[in-house]
């Protein structure tokens, strides 16, 4: 059964004709409300015809139904096919909303039927080759993935149907007032760029998207976006960017660029072509075969197993569709941002330099605004303001044991997060989510960011400080590379906080106590502090440089005086430490208060807290005021 024989359905008719000649299929029905050319069904027998898919399904009972209709009809027609017991080849995007996606996924689970989504690139051996190159370490540690698409579309493209270039569409007297269409450059014409980048990272399921940032623009007189970019962070910690336009100066082959620490892999997914580039080696380039998605679906129906492009693996792409659907309308670009050209048949709008900008986005994993596009504005960190409601403005802490709360059993060990409230005026609260032994990676892997994000308010601060445990080479669940996984993990916290309207703040790690033979305090964090500083500058994130400030503080206190800040204890002095302690990482109350004061002062210097929101910055330190409530019940006995 073919639902939708016009538009892209014509490609399906050509493919069906090929498969029918090979004896693989028999077309039993065509659902199309309008007339078809006389030769449209040549070589396909005499299939039943109707404009009513449900009626046609009940009459013909097809094994497989191809849905190649306008975007906003996909959900209803796909559900009708599933309810009739038919397997599906469903064109992209599978649905126009995340709710519709979940409804269809539920119906498929209950029915046991197979759904293949029409992302043709998923049938390409080239995509698997890229993944194998990554797995084999061909370019070292993955730094990120950037996709680019520059296409030319003139006025005829938007005049071809009532839904072209629309975000919403009138549904008629018997339906809701408006239905979602979401025919934007990222969600329809260059949707493959988004989906293929996510598939390469093995992050194409709905739960694989951690955070998402969009910049949507339109040069044409349409509702939807025609020039846009996105950056998302996957739960694997990979930043993925996609930049796309339909206002290019010339058509270019879309591609996905995979950046590693030792090279780059480029996939031109419409050509199934892969290029591997590494310093000191000649580029290697090969084309690869492609499996037809309908043939693969027929094989899966016959033999079982998962199809190449199952619905579940369009989940992350549908998260992008949902973000575009619910985003504010695209920013309209004025005539100064584009020029009009014509080939003598139809006019088109061109954004000068957009092709180079899109290539730069894929190369640097940057958004248009970060690349200085004059029409895209400039990204700045949000300036949080005190809440007008009864809920107190809250400083949330995500970090390790140097910030975490401690139980009475380990007193006087203290994290600086326990001391921070002393320096905050009434009306500000602290929510300390930091946990002993966690790195930027393991905090994410254990799902600890999720409750933090649920608690974040739109004017809260999220203070992000890791680094001690990211250095643990012996533990792959915690180890990160400073300018690789460490920055990517930190970026996930940043983007997730911004997505919720909160203000992320990056903190370099607290410096350990260490002195050389000349009595000079020495740094111990290698490149980790520098990596935080670089990320803060690149992403315009407020920074509190705790490492530099604490190193200077330990220098002032000296090798002996600094012992009073750290957990240096005599045997028998505290029940929790019967043998005493010589700990140059963890703090006792004086050290916790000293570091908390550094943080408070840093927040004021960054313009994140006003003077009236702080107190006690010059007062004597009240070491006796810290308390040790119970630790979280799920806390394992390990420290930073």
């Amino acid at each position: 059964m073919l639902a939708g024989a016009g538009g892209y359905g014509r490609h399906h008719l050509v493919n069906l004709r090929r498969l029918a000649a090979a004896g693989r299929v028999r077309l039993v029905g065509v659902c199309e409300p309008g007339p078809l050319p006389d030769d449209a069904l040549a070589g396909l027998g005499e299939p039943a015809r109707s404009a009513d898919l449900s009626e046609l399904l009940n009459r013909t009972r097809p094994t497989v139904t191809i849905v190649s209709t306008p975007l906003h009809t996909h959900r209803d027609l796909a559900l009708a096919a599933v309810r009739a017991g038919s397997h599906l080849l469903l064109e992209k995007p599978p649905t126009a909303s995340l709710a519709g996606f979940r409804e269809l996924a539920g119906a498929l689970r209950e029915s046991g039927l197979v759904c293949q989504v029409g992302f043709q690139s998923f049938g390409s051996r080239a995509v698997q080759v890229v993944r194998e190159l990554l797995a084999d370490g061909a370019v070292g540690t993955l730094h990120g993935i950037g996709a680019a698409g520059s296409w030319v579309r003139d006025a005829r493209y938007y005049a071809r149907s009532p839904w072209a270039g629309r975000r919403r569409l009138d549904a008629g007297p018997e339906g809701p007032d408006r239905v979602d269409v979401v025919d934007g450059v990222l969600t329809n014409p260059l949707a493959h760029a988004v989906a293929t980048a996510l598939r390469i990272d093995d992050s194409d399921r709905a739960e694989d998207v951690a955070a998402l940032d969009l910049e949507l623009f339109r040069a044409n007189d349409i509702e939807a976006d025609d020039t846009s970019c996105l950056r998302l962070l996957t739960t694997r910690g990979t930043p993925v960017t996609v930049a796309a336009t339909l206002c290019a100066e010339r058509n270019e082959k879309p591609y996905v660029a995979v950046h590693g620490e030792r090279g780059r892999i480029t996939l031109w997914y419409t050509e199934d072509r892969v290029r591997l580039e590494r310093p000191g080696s000649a580029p290697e380039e090969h084309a690869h075969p492609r499996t037809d998605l309908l043939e693969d679906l027929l094989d899966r129906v016959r033999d079982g197993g998962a199809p190449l492009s199952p619905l579940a693996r369009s989940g992350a792409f549908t998260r992008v569709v949902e973000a575009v659907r619910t985003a504010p309308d695209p920013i309209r670009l004025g005539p100064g941002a584009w020029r009009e050209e014509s080939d003598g048949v139809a006019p088109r709008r061109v954004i000068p330099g957009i092709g180079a900008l899109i290539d730069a986005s894929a190369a640097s994993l940057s958004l248009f605004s970060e690349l200085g596009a004059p029409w895209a504005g400039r990204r700045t960190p949000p300036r949080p303001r005190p809440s007008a409601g009864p809920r107190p403005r809250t400083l949330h802490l995500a970090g390790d044991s140097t910030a975490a709360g401690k139980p009475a059993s380990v007193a006087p060990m203290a994290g600086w997060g326990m001391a921070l409230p002393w320096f905050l005026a009434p009306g500000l609260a602290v929510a300390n989510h930091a946990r002993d032994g966690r790195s930027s990676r393991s905090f994410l892997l254990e799902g600890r960011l999720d409750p933090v994000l649920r608690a974040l308010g739109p004017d809260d601060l999220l203070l992000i400080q890791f680094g001690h445990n990211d250095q643990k080479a012996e533990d792959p669940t915690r180890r990160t590379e400073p300018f690789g996984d460490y920055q990517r993990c930190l970026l996930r916290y940043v983007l997730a906080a911004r997505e919720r309207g909160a203000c992320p703040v990056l903190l370099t790690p607290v410096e350990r106590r260490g002195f050389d033979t000349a009595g000079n305090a020495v740094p111990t964090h290698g490149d980790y502090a520098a990596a935080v500083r670089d990320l803060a500058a690149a992403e315009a994130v407020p920074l509190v440089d705790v490492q530099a400030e604490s190193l200077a503080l330990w220098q002032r206190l000296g090798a002996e005086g600094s012992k009073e800040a750290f957990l240096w204890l005599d045997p028998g002095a505290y029940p929790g430490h019967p043998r005493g302690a010589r700990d140059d990482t963890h703090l006792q109350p004086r050290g916790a208060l000293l570091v908390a004061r550094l943080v408070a002062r840093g927040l004021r210097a960054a313009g994140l807290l006003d003077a009236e929101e702080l107190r006690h910055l010059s007062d004597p330190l009240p070491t006796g005021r810290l308390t040790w409530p119970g630790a979280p019940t799920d806390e394992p006995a390990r420290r930073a």
Side-chain angles (χ1 to χ4, degrees):
M1 170 75 68
L2 174 62
Y8 195 78
R10 291 190 290 269
H11 295 273
H12 285 293
L13 285 172
V14 171
N15 196 36
L16 287 166
R17 193 173 291 113
R18 177 182 67 86
L19 293 174
R24 292 220 62 186
V25 301
R26 179 172 64 90
L27 183 62
V28 297
V30 175
C31 181
E32 175 62 45
L36 293 174
D38 293 340
D39 61 347
L41 302 180
L44 293 169
E46 296 185 359
R49 297 279 304 277
S50 175
D52 184 336
L53 181 62
S54 293
E55 181 275 328
L56 199 56
L57 287 164
N58 290 331
R59 178 155 44 112
T60 60
R61 293 295 173 181
T63 304
V64 172
T65 297
I66 302 170
V67 176
S68 182
T69 56
L71 285 62
H72 56 288
T73 67
H74 284 187
R75 168 190 165 275
D76 290 347
L77 297 184
L79 285 171
V82 171
R83 288 163 184 160
S86 179
H87 302 281
L88 271 174
L89 175 56
L90 177 61
E91 276 305 328
K92 53 81 184 165
T95 61
S97 72
L98 190 57
F101 176 88
R102 288 170 174 160
E103 183 179 6
L104 178 57
L108 286 164
R109 280 194 300 271
E110 292 178 5
S111 68
L113 295 167
V114 181
C115 177
Q116 180 101 277
V117 178
F119 283 114
Q120 293 90 351
S121 64
F122 287 10
S124 176
R125 169 66 183 154
V127 174
Q128 185 59 29
V129 166
V130 174
R131 294 192 57 192
E132 290 169 359
L133 287 170
L134 280 172
D136 292 343
V139 292
T141 303
L142 176 63
H143 285 172
I145 301 173
S150 297
W151 281 359
V152 173
R153 295 294 183 267
D154 61 28
R156 291 170 294 183
Y157 179 80
Y158 298 107
R160 74 190 192 280
S161 68
W163 55 267
R166 301 293 296 272
R167 281 169 66 82
R168 304 166 196 88
L169 198 63
D170 292 333
E174 296 183 0
D177 292 337
R178 305 278 275 174
V179 294
D180 294 307
V181 178
V182 205
D183 183 32
V185 64
L186 294 172
T187 55
N188 190 20
L190 282 159
H192 276 82
V194 180
T196 306
L198 291 166
R199 170 60 71 96
I200 287 171
D201 193 53
D202 195 24
S203 296
D204 45 18
R205 297 170 177 83
E207 61 271 20
D208 293 335
V209 177
L212 180 60
D213 204 355
L214 287 169
E215 293 183 354
L216 307 177
F217 304 93
R218 59 183 179 95
N220 287 279
D221 293 326
I222 57 175
E223 287 183 351
D225 54 299
D226 58 33
T227 302
S228 296
C229 60
L230 69 83
R231 179 167 55 217
L232 61 80
L233 192 71
T234 73
T235 55
R236 295 166 61 88
T238 306
V240 177
T241 63
V242 183
T245 187
L246 301 179
C247 302
E249 294 158 303
R250 64 189 65 84
N251 274 314
E252 303 286 356
K253 300 295 183 183
Y255 63 89
V256 177
V258 181
H259 302 280
E261 63 177 344
R262 296 196 303 271
R264 166 173 160 155
I265 308 167
T266 305
L267 165 64
W268 288 270
Y269 59 81
T270 60
E271 299 180 322
D272 306 314
R273 182 162 51 96
V274 176
R275 182 181 179 90
L276 172 63
E277 298 170 278
R278 293 178 287 189
S281 301
E284 303 172 36
E285 187 170 313
H286 302 281
H288 300 274
R290 177 179 291 202
T291 300
D292 176 69
L293 292 184
L294 179 54
E295 289 188 80
D296 176 68
L297 176 59
L298 296 173
D299 291 342
R300 301 289 73 74
V301 170
R302 182 191 62 202
D303 302 329
L308 289 168
S309 182
L311 182 71
R313 303 203 69 170
S314 293
F317 170 77
T318 306
R319 287 281 302 274
V320 174
V321 173
E322 180 73 2
V324 174
R325 182 183 76 85
T326 58
D329 287 349
I331 296 172
R332 181 174 184 175
L333 300 182
W338 50 266
R339 67 174 185 266
E340 190 163 284
E341 297 182 355
S342 177
D343 60 1
V345 178
R348 66 185 184 96
R349 292 183 178 178
V350 176
I351 300 175
I354 187 64
L357 192 69
I358 283 173
D359 287 339
S361 170
S364 64
L365 306 179
S366 299
L367 299 173
F368 291 152
S369 60
E370 297 167 337
L371 292 169
W375 37 265
R378 181 71 65 175
R379 294 175 64 83
T380 57
R383 171 66 167 101
R385 300 306 308 165
S387 173
R391 177 187 178 278
R393 185 173 172 217
T394 303
L395 283 69
H396 296 263
L397 278 57
D400 55 34
S401 63
T402 60
K406 301 290 184 283
S409 60
V410 299
M413 183 189 290
W416 63 260
M418 299 166 61
L420 186 59
W422 174 251
F423 300 103
L424 303 179
L428 292 175
V430 173
N432 193 348
H433 309 274
R435 291 292 182 267
D436 288 5
R438 271 51 179 199
S439 71
S440 64
R441 180 198 295 277
S442 65
F443 197 92
L444 295 175
L445 292 176
E446 294 172 10
R448 294 184 179 275
L449 181 58
D450 295 335
V452 180
L453 298 179
R454 288 194 294 270
L456 273 179
D459 53 2
D460 290 346
L461 303 181
L462 175 58
L463 310 187
I464 308 156
Q465 185 187 69
F466 294 96
H468 281 265
N469 300 296
D470 290 78
Q471 296 178 263
K472 295 189 181 299
E474 73 281 1
D475 186 350
T477 66
R478 294 193 280 176
R479 170 70 175 176
T480 63
E481 292 298 326
F483 292 98
D485 290 346
Y486 183 54
Q487 286 188 324
R488 288 196 295 274
C489 289
L490 293 178
L491 183 60
R492 178 177 169 191
Y493 297 82
V494 168
L495 295 179
R498 284 175 170 170
E499 188 178 51
R500 286 153 181 81
C503 180
V505 186
L506 288 170
L507 282 66
T508 51
V510 179
E511 189 51 76
R512 301 180 180 92
R513 178 187 171 276
F515 290 84
D516 61 19
T517 56
N520 296 311
V522 295
T524 65
H525 287 294
D527 288 333
Y528 287 88
V532 178
R533 297 180 192 112
D534 285 1
L535 180 64
E539 296 295 328
V541 183
L543 173 72
V544 178
D545 198 345
V546 178
Q547 185 272 334
E549 293 291 336
S550 57
L551 181 66
L553 175 60
W554 310 147
Q555 179 67 46
R556 291 194 299 272
L557 292 176
E560 286 301 314
S562 59
K563 292 178 181 178
E564 297 180 6
F566 288 86
L567 203 66
W568 278 62
L569 308 175
D570 292 331
Y574 292 92
H577 306 274
R579 299 180 181 179
R582 297 292 185 268
D583 186 337
D584 290 324
T585 296
H586 297 100
L587 306 168
Q588 57 176 303
R590 178 172 173 77
L593 285 158
L594 286 168
V595 174
R597 185 166 63 185
L598 292 179
V599 172
R601 287 172 172 168
L603 294 173
R604 183 180 65 180
L608 299 170
L609 295 180
D610 298 327
E612 60 270 19
E613 295 176 294
L614 296 167
R615 59 180 182 172
H616 302 316
L617 292 183
S618 301
D619 295 347
L621 298 178
T623 55
R625 296 186 68 93
L626 265 64
T627 58
W628 283 260
T633 57
D634 64 343
E635 186 61 31
R638 65 176 182 178
R639 303 297 175 198

